[in-house]
Amino acid sequence: MILDLPVRGKPPIKWGVTIKNIERELICPACKELFTHPLILPCQHSICHKCVKELLLMLDDSFNDVGSDNSNQSSPRLRLPSPSVDKIDRISRPGWKRNSLTPRTTTFPCPGCEHDVDLGERGINGLFRNFTLETIVERYRQAARAATAIMCDLCKPPPQESTKSCMDCSASYCNECFKIYHPWGTVKAQHEYVGPTTNFRPKILMCPEHETERINMYCELCRRPVCHLCKLGGNHSNHRVTTMSSAYKTLKEKLSKDIDYLIGKESQVKSQISELNLLMKETECNGERAKEDAITHFEKLFEILEERKSSVLKAIDASKKLRLDKFQTQMEEYQGLLENNGLVGYAQEVLKETDQSCFVQTAKQLHVRIQKATESLKSFRPAAQTSFEDYVVNTSKQTELLGELSFFSSGVDVPEINEEQSKVYNNALISWHHPEKDKADSYVLEYRKINRDEEMLSWNEIEVCGTSKVISDLESNCNYAFRVRAYKGSICSPCSRELILHTPPAPVFSFLFDEKCGYNNEHLLLNLKRDRVESRAGFNLLLAAERIQVGYYTSLDYIIGDVGITKGKHFWAFRVEPYSYLVKAGVASSDKLQEWLRSPRDAVSPRYEQDSGHDSGSEDTCFDSSQPFTLVTIGMKKFFIPKSPTSSNEPENRVLPMPASIGVLLDCDKGRVAFYDVDHMKCLYERQVDCSHAMYPAFALMGSGGVQLEESITAKYLGYQEGM
């Protein structure tokens, strides 16, 4: 099968692509078969029309029959059983539900990406049919059938081979039938006809939300076609849309560029495939070699065990023989004490001797023997021990070691990078830990910049003696990958798992809190290093609780940085304590600061003070550059986005979870300030700001709360070294 791919400005390029290779893109992730009437889900994956119905029916049945055997026998991500036709028809009707107490299930996991998708109130009827994919599937079905002809739908038996298909009538015709059913001079003669096909699709794509309206616009936010009613009063009224022709041109150009890129990289892909084939062969050889090495090690263990087994058994046999010999000798001696045996009989014969000198000569030695035998009768002691406790083999330690037998990295454990202690600003501080039982002699820290557009960049290596290292001169607003390996003598461990960190969008700006300008030491507590401030206003409020009746308001307490900014791009970061009630952070202009410091802050009720934190309506005018401070609000473990004329004013759209660290980017040249989630280096909110005068980092606290500035990485590292 040859696939013709049109490229903008060029003739179609033919790639030799087999149907088998393309079928992977044409297989439904649910039923694992070629798509049949595919629908486009909100996550942009496609799935067969019948598979969506089966998924919804299965989930709805499991929702109502929790714990039943049928609901636990299969998963919606597996191939689905076919439900009855009645059930499928029933679930596809708009507004269908079992009863008033059982809501209809419209959320299910997409078999393609496994993310939950919500079909909304319209359910299946709100999904677009993927006609393009359907056409491609039909084209390849016909290519697979090859010689199978499409027969005329109107011929009397036997039907003739069709020569045309009418897209308006959705039928195929032979030449004679086409002339009969599409005569000249009639409306049908104007129908659109193509070559023989079984795939008929409507000429105009209609909106699933408004079935009588045709699709003529494209929503850039939702990335889906819409009609003019969707834009005027539907779900896309506040979304940015573009014309269908503009979207068609843009997406077609992007797709053409992607195809050009793939075509240009064909030789590179082929070389990489060759490299992968070599790597597979090398892996096969290395795997067999590793098996042989493992077998050799185990055979050595078996040999040692056999040798030790033989030695232990020989020692036990020798000890057993020696003890049995001792018992045999002792037993023979005791048997001699019996009346009819040797010693007693010999003594009786000696008593018959009448010659005194001869008797005395013999009886002396005999008396000693009999006396010794008599004493042994009084205190019987076996000549040897029967227990072999000294010969019990203790294998508990060896058993434990064998139980822990596993693959070791050439005898050196793999170090692990500590993500919590590793941070990146202008410089990167990378920390790792290694098991004490296997301390390495040195480490090699590797890092490289991640660039998706260019070729893979090579790793930079730094030899380190300790377990942390500062890397300088990193580029701003870039992703960097870090990994480390350990060395013990000439033995090297594999590399650790890679840690990816994103550098800030601008150089780091260093400052401390100013304890003079506008600082209220009655309400704010500043530490000696001037990098942390806490609000004590909450305690004063409690102490004054007896006098409080009505009409009491708490004002904000401000504090600024001790260094100003007049030009360039700068970035700084801080942490807000989770217990904080209300904290504001941003920038302040020097001229507005002077006006604010000269005017008494208690002249007006705090309720009407700008940025006081109360619902004074001042947030609606937050785009007025005349305000003394440009701040965002953080508190109660939330990040609050200010109101703006262009953004949604719904509360749920303006409240985000509070990041662990918050970054501020000030671009004086462009007059913009932005707020970031530092952990993911994601911009949460940005706006214009007047930078005609010097700008200062500014903070405000109400109630109990705390702000901690993130220290410079180099300073933190040097302080750590001095502490050691």
Side-chain angles (χ1 to χ4, degrees):
M1 176 66 196
I2 302 298
L3 174 63
D4 293 343
L5 294 179
V7 181
R8 185 176 178 85
K10 299 180 182 179
I13 297 176
K14 296 186 178 182
W15 280 18
V17 182
T18 62
I19 295 177
K20 182 178 180 182
N21 292 335
I22 293 180
E23 271 189 351
R24 292 187 303 175
E25 304 296 330
L26 309 181
I27 296 295
C28 173
C31 62
K32 306 303 181 185
E33 297 177 356
L34 287 175
F35 282 106
T36 303
H37 303 306
L39 301 178
I40 303 176
L41 299 178
C43 61
Q44 300 304 308
H45 289 99
S46 295
I47 184 174
C48 295
H49 186 267
K50 61 181 179 62
C51 293
V52 178
K53 294 180 179 179
E54 292 170 357
L55 280 168
L56 291 175
L57 182 63
M58 177 182 294
L59 292 176
D60 189 78
D61 287 341
S62 63
F63 177 81
N64 291 279
D65 303 322
V66 177
S68 65
D69 295 337
N70 293 333
S71 64
N72 293 328
Q73 289 176 354
S74 61
S75 168
R77 291 185 176 90
L78 302 176
R79 184 162 181 165
L80 306 172
S82 298
S84 64
V85 176
D86 293 339
K87 290 185 177 181
I88 290 181
D89 292 340
R90 193 166 65 250
I91 198 172
S92 61
R93 297 171 192 160
W96 173 85
K97 58 182 179 179
R98 289 182 178 272
N99 53 58
S100 59
L101 300 177
T102 305
R104 178 183 173 184
T105 303
T106 60
T107 302
F108 65 94
C110 169
C113 62
E114 297 189 354
H115 287 86
D116 288 340
V117 293
D118 189 357
L119 303 184
E121 296 181 357
R122 290 182 56 83
I124 299 176
N125 296 324
L127 297 177
F128 278 108
R129 186 169 161 185
N130 195 338
F131 289 111
T132 302
L133 177 58
E134 192 172 337
T135 301
I136 296 173
V137 170
E138 181 59 29
R139 186 186 307 160
Y140 283 101
R141 277 202 175 109
Q142 293 180 12
R145 290 193 292 264
T148 304
I150 299 176
M151 309 309 291
C152 177
D153 295 326
L154 281 301
C155 276
K156 296 180 179 180
Q160 300 295 317
E161 183 176 344
S162 64
T163 58
K164 299 179 181 65
S165 292
C166 179
M167 302 304 292
D168 295 273
C169 301
S170 299
S172 297
Y173 302 87
C174 63
N175 283 332
E176 296 300 325
C177 291
F178 187 79
K179 293 177 182 178
I180 295 173
Y181 291 97
H182 294 76
W184 288 102
T186 64
V187 177
K188 286 189 175 183
Q190 306 299 321
H191 286 187
E192 179 185 357
Y193 62 90
V194 295
T197 182
T198 58
N199 179 48
F200 301 97
R201 68 181 191 182
K203 295 181 179 180
I204 301 174
L205 193 62
M206 308 303 291
C207 177
E209 295 287 337
H210 311 92
E211 298 178 357
T212 59
E213 300 295 329
R214 62 179 295 177
I215 294 299
N216 55 6
M217 287 181 286
Y218 181 79
C219 178
E220 295 183 349
L221 179 63
C222 301
R223 297 182 179 180
R224 60 172 291 173
V226 296
C227 69
H228 71 284
L229 292 182
C230 293
K231 174 59 180 173
L232 291 177
N235 297 328
H236 306 269
S237 57
N238 295 325
H239 296 179
R240 181 179 177 181
V241 299
T242 185
T243 61
M244 187 59 66
S245 60
S246 175
Y248 171 80
K249 181 180 178 181
T250 301
L251 293 175
K252 192 168 185 177
E253 287 179 354
K254 288 182 178 179
L255 184 59
S256 298
K257 289 180 180 178
D258 292 340
I259 294 174
D260 286 338
Y261 180 82
L262 289 176
I263 294 173
K265 295 294 182 179
E266 184 176 4
S267 59
Q268 179 182 344
V269 172
K270 289 181 179 178
S271 65
Q272 291 175 350
I273 291 174
S274 300
E275 183 179 353
L276 288 173
N277 286 327
L278 294 176
L279 292 175
M280 290 175 64
K281 294 179 181 178
E282 185 179 350
T283 302
E284 188 75 26
C285 295
N286 290 339
E288 294 299 323
R289 189 178 298 113
K291 286 173 62 177
E292 293 174 0
D293 292 342
I295 292 173
T296 301
H297 286 298
F298 278 103
E299 286 178 349
K300 288 181 179 179
L301 288 177
F302 296 153
E303 291 176 2
I304 294 173
L305 288 174
E306 287 293 337
E307 180 183 351
R308 296 304 301 160
K309 174 184 174 182
S310 176
S311 176
V312 168
L313 295 180
K314 287 180 181 178
I316 293 175
D317 288 338
S319 178
K320 181 179 71 172
K321 184 177 181 304
L322 180 61
R323 297 182 189 191
L324 291 175
D325 290 343
K326 288 183 179 181
F327 282 128
Q328 184 65 33
T329 302
Q330 187 179 21
M331 187 175 62
E332 290 177 356
E333 290 179 356
Y334 276 87
Q335 286 178 348
L337 299 179
L338 297 178
E339 181 179 359
N340 297 325
N341 290 328
L343 183 59
V344 176
Y346 177 64
Q348 290 175 346
E349 292 298 325
V350 170
L351 288 175
K352 295 178 181 179
E353 179 62 49
T354 57
D355 185 280
Q356 295 181 358
S357 58
C358 292
F359 176 80
V360 171
Q361 181 183 14
T362 304
K364 180 62 177 173
Q365 183 183 6
L366 182 60
H367 174 67
V368 172
R369 290 179 62 190
I370 292 176
Q371 189 177 17
K372 185 178 179 180
T374 304
E375 291 177 356
S376 66
L377 289 174
K378 295 179 181 179
S379 58
F380 174 75
R381 290 183 180 179
Q385 293 183 356
T386 60
S387 172
F388 280 80
E389 293 179 355
D390 296 339
Y391 289 88
V392 174
V393 179
N394 184 8
T395 60
S396 58
K397 184 177 180 181
Q398 288 74 15
T399 302
E400 182 180 356
L401 291 175
L402 288 174
E404 296 176 355
L405 188 64
S406 60
F407 294 106
F408 284 89
S409 308
S410 303
V412 183
D413 285 343
V414 181
E416 295 182 8
I417 296 180
N418 191 323
E419 297 187 17
E420 295 182 357
Q421 296 181 3
S422 299
K423 295 183 180 296
V424 61
Y425 289 97
N426 288 349
N427 306 320
L429 171 63
I430 308 299
S431 300
W432 59 89
H433 54 81
H434 205 222
E436 294 293 336
K437 64 179 181 180
D438 191 19
K439 199 69 174 179
D441 298 331
S442 63
Y443 302 90
V444 170
L445 176 62
E446 299 180 346
Y447 69 97
R448 68 180 176 186
K449 178 183 173 184
I450 299 177
N451 194 335
R452 297 180 180 176
D453 299 330
E454 301 176 2
E455 302 296 330
M456 187 64 69
L457 302 179
S458 59
W459 290 94
N460 301 301
E461 297 184 356
I462 302 177
E463 186 172 356
V464 185
C465 294
T467 56
S468 62
K469 180 65 178 178
V470 173
I471 301 176
S472 306
D473 302 327
L474 300 179
E475 297 183 25
S476 299
N477 199 24
C478 293
N479 283 318
Y480 281 87
F482 302 88
R483 68 185 187 186
V484 64
R485 63 178 186 269
Y487 278 89
K488 191 171 185 180
S490 59
I491 303 175
C492 173
S493 76
C495 292
S496 66
R497 182 175 58 87
E498 291 185 16
L499 172 65
I500 298 177
L501 298 176
H502 194 292
T503 56
V508 172
F509 178 65
S510 298
F511 68 93
L512 296 173
F513 287 120
D514 193 340
E515 78 280 16
K516 299 177 181 178
C517 181
Y519 173 64
N520 187 344
N521 57 7
E522 294 181 358
H523 290 177
L524 299 180
L525 177 63
L526 194 62
N527 66 346
L528 295 177
K529 295 174 64 177
R530 293 197 292 126
D531 64 349
R532 178 181 176 84
V533 63
E534 294 183 2
S535 172
R536 299 188 293 181
F539 296 102
N540 295 334
L541 181 62
L542 289 175
L543 293 175
E546 295 180 354
R547 303 191 301 272
I548 296 176
Q549 298 297 327
V550 291
Y552 187 87
Y553 298 94
T554 302
S555 62
L556 288 165
D557 294 297
Y558 295 91
I559 188 168
I560 64 173
D562 60 354
V563 182
I565 303 171
T566 57
K567 62 180 180 179
K569 292 174 65 176
H570 302 273
F571 182 87
W572 61 91
F574 59 92
R575 299 192 308 272
V576 175
E577 298 297 342
Y579 64 81
S580 300
Y581 172 67
L582 190 149
V583 173
K584 294 204 170 203
V587 293
S589 174
S590 58
D591 62 329
K592 300 300 179 182
L593 275 173
Q594 293 178 4
E595 295 178 5
W596 174 72
L597 291 173
R598 283 197 299 266
S599 61
R601 281 172 286 172
D602 57 350
V604 190
S605 169
R607 179 169 180 81
Y608 300 97
E609 180 185 352
Q610 198 169 28
D611 283 328
S612 67
H614 295 279
D615 189 15
S616 61
S618 61
E619 297 246 33
D620 294 330
T621 60
C622 66
F623 279 76
D624 182 7
S625 61
S626 64
Q627 63 175 329
F629 298 98
T630 301
L631 307 170
V632 293
T633 305
I634 308 105
M636 296 179 287
K637 299 182 180 181
K638 302 293 183 183
F639 183 94
F640 300 88
I641 298 177
K643 293 180 181 179
S644 68
T646 58
S647 65
S648 174
N649 291 330
E650 296 297 328
E652 59 270 14
N653 297 328
R654 298 174 52 222
V655 179
L656 304 175
M658 183 177 73
S661 295
I662 301 171
V664 181
L665 171 65
L666 177 63
D667 189 343
C668 292
D669 300 334
K670 294 184 178 180
R672 295 195 68 81
V673 61
F675 300 86
Y676 283 76
D677 178 352
V678 174
D679 287 347
H680 303 91
M681 210 55 70
K682 176 184 177 182
C683 182
L684 304 176
Y685 169 70
E686 65 176 343
R687 56 149 298 176
Q688 292 292 129
V689 64
D690 182 9
C691 296
S692 58
H693 297 80
M695 306 297 291
Y696 290 83
F699 301 85
L701 295 87
M702 175 187 289
S704 57
V707 177
Q708 172 71 57
L709 298 179
E710 292 280 7
E711 299 180 9
S712 169
I713 292 300
T714 305
K716 181 176 182 180
Y717 177 74
L718 294 177
Y720 172 76
Q721 292 291 88
E722 292 174 359
M724 294 184 62

